[in-house]
Amino acid sequence: MAAGVAAWLPFARAAAIGWMPVASAPMPTPPPDNRRKQDGLILLNVSGQKFQTWRNTLERYPDTLLGSTEREFFFHEETNEYFFDRDPDIFRYILNFYRTGKLHYPRQECISAYDEELAFFGIIPEIIGDCCYEEYKDRRRENQERIQDDEDSENQNDMVPPDMTFRETMWRAFENPHTSTMALVFYYVTGFFIAVSVMANVVETVPCGTLPNRVKQVSCGERYALAFFCLDTACVMIFTVEYLLRLMAAPSRWNFIKSVMSVIDVVAIMPYYIGLVMTDNEDVSGAFVTLRVFRVFRIFKFSRHSAGLRILGYTLKSCASELGFLLFSLTMAIIIFATVMFYAEKGSSASKFTSIPAAFWYTIVTMTTLGYGDMVPKTIVGKIVGSVCSLSGVLVIALPVPVIVSNFSRIYHQSQRADKRRAQKKTKLGRIAARKSGGTNAYLQYKSNEVTASKAAGQALVCKANPMFDTHHNHLLHCLEKTTNHEFVDEQTFETSLLEVSMAKHPPHSPSLSSGSSSQGLSCCSRRNKRKSFNVPNSNMTGGHRNSIQELSTIHIRERPITNSRSSLNAKFEETVPLNCKQPYITAAIITLPMPPVTRPEDDGSASSPDYSQANIVRVSAL
Amino acid sequence: MSSCRKRCKREMFKFAQYLYRLITGTLHADSVEDELELSAVRHRPEGLEQLEALTRFNRKELQILYRGFKNECPSGVVNEDTFKVIYSQFFPQGDASMYAHFLFNAFDTDKDGSVSFEDFVMGLSILLRGSVQEKLNWAFNLYDINKDGYITKEEMLDIMKAIYDMMGKCTYPLLKDDTPRQHVEIFFQKMDKNKDGVVTIDEFIDCCQNDENIMRSMQLFENVI
């Protein structure tokens, strides 16, 4: 990645001309630019591995890179060869395509690397030969799914956009309970109440002993009717409130109402309200009793809480075709066997097979190898038909099941992988963030090394991988600073200056301030007088602090970075004088000494010098 | 009414088809493999000789430029998103996407939504090897967002905000919200001679030619390649 970005550096520097007319300060001089020697050889020398082939071979396919004049861009005169800085292993397959006309896909290569090489050399992947095409397609689909998964989970776990309305926050809390404590509490409370409600439904049918003046056993529901009614009311109220809140927070209400979970919610709470409405009407109380059955749908509300349930549901949905086929073939078989059975047993006396639909029950029980034994054939023909039925039942049911099972397994493993990847991604992002902060520090480090006599030593700290790139890049960032009259600083200075601004708003307590902000300010006193003379022209830079105590604080803050020797400061002063003639800029240049030397004692993470070189080296590759 | 009936019929037909597919087990057959699209965009630049004639780079420089270009964009053109990604890598602390957007529009001279190698190299030729007049022209073109020949305060404010966005938030002194606006005011005070609220190309070029700093900084990147 670094090579690619380094190649675009000239473009980024050229684009900096766009800032020039706007800048109010003169630009720093660019670093000396020794002519880079042409790096690399050029030819069908692919990363050092030499390939040779006839020119005609390549020109068989004139719409690809190697077959057209585009390859002239890669010609290297000195060694008289064409050089490509690409993967030689994959290049083998590409060259073979020119030779044999068939493109193969190596199984051990990564699919995205292979795709990139094909794109670079201008070959469309559709010409992969039949022998390797299926494998290629499968791998590619897997990759797409993985990328899609990553994007989805990224969208879900994104940082909260700063100005989300209350409604959006609520919806987010409902959909991802782990985003806030309130959401988590709500999630568990509803889960608990679903469980309580389902348990109550189950327990109220258990026989609970007899009433004192009756003989019959009564169920617990009738005995403690009031208690169960109160419990039911409480649960339904919670469910209703939850449903209404979700309805209110949903970004698209119509979509929400159409969704499966919302239908389940409605079905779960409707029986209660219908029961409230029609408790006194005798005719429909029978129907009302059946409605109570729907209360069991509350258990489906658990699918919001369980990923496994959702996967199961999703599998069934995605296997709808196989399930449908299974059902249809079973129905066919049932009808056939029931008919034959009926006619076979018609002759025998006291036969249980009174009609064909009655024989359905026998056929189903036999085909699924249940065999209750409540209906048994008595004639010989009946028994023969019965045995054929049970044998074929095993076959018909066993065939579609593995397809469903493999679907479930694939989806389940995918979700497992997604979880694992999410966990890995967090650590990966953490490491990348640490490198990036190293990048910022590298520039600040560069600024201190820029004009000191220890330039050589400084560059020894700076990375060896691509020093030219670094100096040019740092010069570019310096130009941006000059254009906008603001400097880059690192996090700590930024926070302390924020602190300082907020302190400016309230009456400051100077002792606490000085003690708080100058852990390094031991030798500040001696320097304060010297710096004071430079403070005056720069006071407008600090955003109008009039209060002398603020000046004190600004001195403190600004002096924290300055722990380098005074000789280096003077050196910087001398350097910058010929460059800028205006007073403010001189002080600005002096002030911008970096944090890193100061933070070394207190910030063990990224500030020690070996770590610096590490961070610097890493920075280029991270780019 | 007849359209309703037609729709009903169509729905019934689709439902019957669905039942049929359910029964014969071919429900998902054709929905699997249609997402692989041929990436159709491939662009090949003009030959080296033509580009040498069009720009002020010599052969070697063009070779170097093309190799870098092709590495990052194998398809031969840069679209705006790739452009933003590439440019943002140089400014990790801030958000370079707005300025990259304006840059993209300045490079994309034929307005086809992508920057080909020719556009890229011609833009670079002006910026690195052009005369000061040409560079100022280019800068004016960059600032004039709607390309109407005038830079208004709003356009300049957009550009200024984009430049300040690249700094990010960790700056010293603290970036305030009206810093870009103030900078725009300073700019207009300097450039807008007749105080009509817009800067024309002549005012711009005149003023820049009279400003030593700007003239000197224009020569800054002569030896970049």
Side-chain angles (χ1 to χ4, degrees):
Chain A
M1 200 55 187
V5 170
W8 282 72
L9 184 65
F11 156 71
R13 301 184 69 205
I17 291 208
W19 310 333
M20 303 298 158
V22 170
S24 30
M27 293 292 140
T29 48
D33 192 48
N34 41 344
R35 277 263 150 215
R36 273 184 313 176
K37 21 192 308 258
Q38 203 129 10
D39 64 332
L41 323 158
I42 304 176
L43 182 64
L44 282 203
N45 174 341
V46 181
S47 307
Q49 216 169 332
K50 297 198 200 268
F51 295 89
Q52 286 174 324
T53 181
W54 297 113
R55 191 172 284 268
N56 289 339
T57 315
L58 290 184
E59 285 173 9
R60 274 188 216 159
Y61 299 97
D63 57 346
T64 57
L65 186 153
L66 287 173
S68 65
T69 54
E70 200 180 342
R71 66 164 183 256
E72 299 302 322
F73 283 103
F74 297 91
F75 186 71
H76 187 242
E77 279 90 8
E78 285 87 335
T79 50
N80 217 26
E81 55 184 13
Y82 292 90
F83 182 76
F84 296 96
D85 206 4
R86 311 291 296 190
D87 188 348
D89 291 333
I90 298 184
F91 186 75
R92 235 190 62 213
Y93 294 94
I94 292 178
L95 198 53
N96 272 334
F97 162 66
Y98 286 91
R99 291 186 184 132
T100 64
K102 282 212 283 270
L103 181 62
H104 295 280
Y105 168 60
R107 280 186 169 80
Q108 75 275 14
E109 294 291 343
C110 169
I111 183 77
S112 26
Y114 189 73
D115 270 342
E116 268 177 32
E117 296 297 314
L118 285 187
F120 182 84
F121 285 103
I123 300 175
I124 49 175
E126 271 64 26
I127 42 180
I128 292 183
D130 283 336
C131 41
C132 302
Y133 195 54
E134 217 168 284
E135 169 83 15
Y136 173 79
K137 273 282 175 68
D138 281 343
R139 293 279 292 267
R140 196 168 177 179
R141 184 164 35 96
E142 239 175 274
N143 204 31
Q144 299 281 55
E145 279 175 356
R146 187 185 53 82
I147 293 177
Q148 189 62 37
D149 255 348
D150 273 350
E151 277 178 12
D152 284 346
S153 67
E154 207 177 88
N155 287 340
Q156 274 178 15
N157 300 340
D158 261 346
M159 289 281 107
V160 177
D163 41 357
M164 277 204 327
T165 66
F166 176 63
R167 178 171 162 183
E168 286 171 5
T169 331
M170 238 183 15
W171 180 248
R172 232 182 105 83
F174 279 133
E175 293 298 298
N176 306 324
H178 54 268
T179 49
S180 76
T181 331
M182 269 311 293
L184 211 54
V185 164
F186 185 75
Y187 176 78
Y188 283 125
V189 162
T190 44
F192 173 70
F193 273 98
I194 295 173
V196 161
S197 162
V198 169
M199 285 307 299
N201 285 349
V202 166
V203 166
E204 76 182 0
T205 60
V206 172
C208 232
T210 58
L211 281 182
N213 47 353
R214 302 259 178 106
V215 179
K216 204 172 58 130
Q217 285 260 358
V218 292
S219 63
C220 284
E222 286 170 22
R223 192 150 168 193
Y224 304 103
L226 190 59
F228 277 106
F229 179 71
C230 290
L231 195 59
D232 205 23
T233 312
C235 292
V236 168
M237 268 202 309
I238 301 244
F239 296 152
T240 316
V241 163
E242 182 206 352
Y243 181 70
L244 288 176
L245 279 180
R246 273 182 208 262
L247 186 63
M248 213 180 66
S252 157
R253 298 218 170 101
W254 176 235
N255 277 343
F256 174 70
I257 289 181
K258 278 195 301 190
S259 74
V260 174
M261 287 311 303
S262 131
V263 167
I264 290 178
D265 285 338
V266 169
V267 168
I269 58 181
M270 261 317 157
Y272 177 80
Y273 288 112
I274 298 181
L276 277 187
V277 166
M278 45 155 90
T279 32
D280 39 11
N281 203 338
E282 269 302 320
D283 306 333
V284 293
S285 72
F288 167 62
V289 168
T290 14
L291 264 183
R292 303 188 87 176
V293 166
F294 284 102
R295 290 189 309 173
V296 81
F297 273 79
R298 287 180 195 165
I299 206 170
F300 283 116
K301 284 167 72 77
F302 265 128
S303 62
R304 273 212 189 92
H305 297 245
S306 154
L309 262 184
R310 278 200 298 269
I311 291 179
L312 190 59
Y314 181 66
T315 311
L316 290 177
K317 196 166 64 152
S318 73
C319 300
S321 149
E322 282 86 24
L323 283 175
F325 172 66
L326 172 64
L327 212 57
F328 176 70
S329 58
L330 265 182
T331 315
M332 238 179 40
I334 288 172
I335 293 178
I336 290 177
F337 281 110
T339 312
V340 174
M341 206 63 197
F342 172 73
Y343 284 114
E345 287 286 308
K346 197 159 177 191
S348 85
S349 57
S351 138
K352 294 238 174 71
F353 296 86
T354 50
S355 64
I356 294 186
F360 280 168
W361 173 244
Y362 167 77
T363 324
I364 291 176
V365 167
T366 313
M367 281 185 92
T368 52
T369 70
L370 274 175
Y372 287 132
D374 52 350
M375 285 163 87
V376 175
K378 294 204 174 48
T379 60
I380 295 185
V381 180
K383 286 188 179 156
I384 293 176
V385 173
S387 37
V388 173
C389 176
S390 66
L391 285 174
S392 66
V394 169
L395 268 178
V396 167
I397 290 183
L399 281 178
V401 165
V403 177
I404 298 173
V405 164
S406 80
N407 246 349
F408 178 78
S409 157
R410 181 176 60 91
I411 295 172
Y412 179 74
H413 282 305
Q414 227 176 10
S415 92
Q416 291 263 18
R417 254 184 291 140
D419 284 335
K420 211 182 349 169
R421 230 180 302 124
R422 231 171 286 152
Q424 281 171 355
K425 200 173 192 169
K426 282 204 182 121
T427 46
K428 201 167 80 151
L429 285 178
R431 266 183 272 139
I432 291 178
R435 269 191 220 155
K436 263 199 150 175
S437 69
T440 323
N441 289 337
Y443 175 58
L444 301 170
Q445 166 93 4
Y446 158 76
K447 282 204 284 191
S448 79
N449 292 331
E450 192 183 23
V451 288
T452 60
S454 59
K455 192 168 184 174
Q459 289 212 331
L461 274 186
V462 172
C463 77
K464 308 265 185 308
N466 203 347
M468 219 50 216
F469 170 76
D470 260 347
T471 43
H472 284 306
H473 188 203
N474 289 327
H475 175 251
L476 185 67
L477 291 175
H478 203 171
C479 283
L480 183 60
E481 284 186 341
K482 284 286 179 199
T483 309
T484 56
N485 279 332
H486 288 68
E487 279 99 29
F488 288 111
V489 291
D490 62 346
E491 285 285 337
Q492 280 115 338
T493 326
F494 177 61
E495 262 143 45
T496 47
S497 52
L498 266 187
L499 189 67
E500 160 198 308
V501 169
S502 63
M503 283 288 182
K505 304 229 172 53
H506 320 293
H509 310 107
S510 44
S512 60
L513 182 62
S514 44
S515 59
S517 63
S518 66
S519 46
Q520 258 70 38
L522 305 161
S523 50
C524 267
C525 302
S526 56
R527 300 227 192 101
R528 201 174 300 162
N529 300 330
K530 221 175 157 71
R531 292 287 85 79
K532 221 178 166 72
S533 59
F534 296 128
N535 198 14
V536 171
N538 221 357
S539 56
N540 54 349
M541 295 277 283
T542 61
H545 294 288
R546 306 279 173 254
N547 203 334
S548 62
I549 300 185
Q550 270 79 47
E551 269 195 30
L552 212 70
S553 67
T554 56
I555 293 174
H556 267 293
I557 304 288
R558 261 191 252 125
E559 285 193 321
R560 271 179 72 205
I562 304 175
T563 52
N564 280 351
S565 66
R566 297 201 196 130
S567 60
S568 67
L569 285 177
N570 292 336
K572 194 159 176 109
F573 185 84
E574 304 299 323
E575 235 307 325
T576 54
V577 159
L579 195 57
N580 346 345
C581 310
K582 298 207 193 105
Q583 191 73 341
Y585 303 114
I586 296 174
T587 52
I590 290 184
I591 299 297
T592 61
L593 281 181
M595 290 301 291
V598 176
T599 58
R600 197 174 292 134
E602 61 184 44
D603 185 357
D604 46 328
S606 59
S608 52
S609 45
D611 269 341
Y612 249 118
S613 53
Q614 191 63 35
N616 286 337
I617 293 175
V618 165
R619 177 185 80 109
V620 176
S621 59
L623 273 185
Chain B
M1 196 56 188
S2 68
S3 71
C4 202
R5 205 176 307 161
K6 249 189 250 175
R7 206 157 23 119
C8 269
K9 259 202 233 167
R10 215 180 6 221
E11 293 293 316
M12 297 280 296
F13 182 61
K14 275 213 295 214
F15 183 63
Q17 248 186 354
Y18 175 75
L19 273 183
Y20 175 70
R21 284 217 208 101
L22 194 69
I23 288 172
T24 56
T26 58
L27 204 50
H28 291 301
D30 36 316
S31 59
V32 171
E33 311 288 40
D34 52 79
E35 82 286 352
L36 295 174
E37 83 287 3
L38 292 162
S39 56
V41 178
R42 260 173 240 285
H43 176 90
R44 195 160 292 108
E46 309 276 338
L48 262 180
E49 288 77 19
Q50 284 103 309
L51 281 180
E52 254 187 290
L54 279 175
T55 66
R56 300 200 186 93
F57 293 119
N58 64 22
R59 230 180 133 80
K60 276 213 164 54
E61 291 164 340
L62 282 173
Q63 282 183 338
I64 297 176
L65 278 173
Y66 185 73
R67 269 180 257 145
F69 186 83
K70 178 90 177 169
N71 243 331
E72 202 67 20
C73 321
S75 61
V77 292
V78 197
N79 60 9
E80 189 163 337
D81 290 329
T82 323
F83 202 82
K84 282 186 182 168
V85 163
I86 292 172
Y87 200 68
S88 307
Q89 284 170 340
F90 292 102
F91 302 98
Q93 297 97 328
D95 174 24
S97 53
M98 265 328 280
Y99 189 69
H101 166 77
F102 294 128
L103 265 186
F104 185 81
N105 287 338
F107 269 88
D108 183 17
T109 41
D110 50 3
K111 300 282 166 269
D112 60 353
S114 60
V115 167
S116 65
F117 183 63
E118 289 95 341
D119 295 336
F120 178 71
V121 121
M122 286 199 287
L124 275 189
S125 161
I126 296 178
L127 285 174
L128 299 176
R129 302 286 156 89
S131 67
V132 178
Q133 180 87 3
E134 288 172 348
K135 289 182 191 172
L136 289 173
N137 249 324
W138 189 91
F140 185 85
N141 193 35
L142 174 72
Y143 298 151
D144 184 11
I145 297 176
N146 55 2
K147 316 278 179 249
D148 62 352
Y150 300 106
I151 305 179
T152 62
K153 276 201 180 153
E154 286 75 25
E155 289 174 339
M156 204 57 217
L157 187 60
D158 284 339
I159 301 264
M160 203 61 76
K161 276 199 208 149
I163 294 181
Y164 274 89
D165 277 344
M166 283 196 282
M167 294 290 296
K169 68 173 174 60
C170 295
T171 60
Y172 181 81
L174 282 178
L175 260 187
K176 301 203 189 51
D177 285 334
D178 61 343
T179 315
R181 188 172 291 278
Q182 283 173 2
H183 205 149
V184 170
E185 292 298 324
I186 298 174
F187 178 79
F188 264 77
Q189 269 167 20
K190 207 168 43 158
M191 300 273 168
D192 190 9
K193 288 286 180 310
N194 55 1
K195 305 289 171 223
D196 57 354
V198 292
V199 175
T200 64
I201 176 99
D202 301 310
E203 286 175 345
F204 182 74
I205 294 187
D206 269 336
C207 184
C208 288
Q209 280 177 335
N210 293 337
D211 184 335
E212 260 189 47
N213 278 336
I214 296 184
M215 293 302 283
R216 202 171 6 187
S217 51
M218 281 293 180
Q219 324 285 3
L220 208 56
F221 295 112
E222 299 275 88
N223 308 319
V224 159
I225 297 285

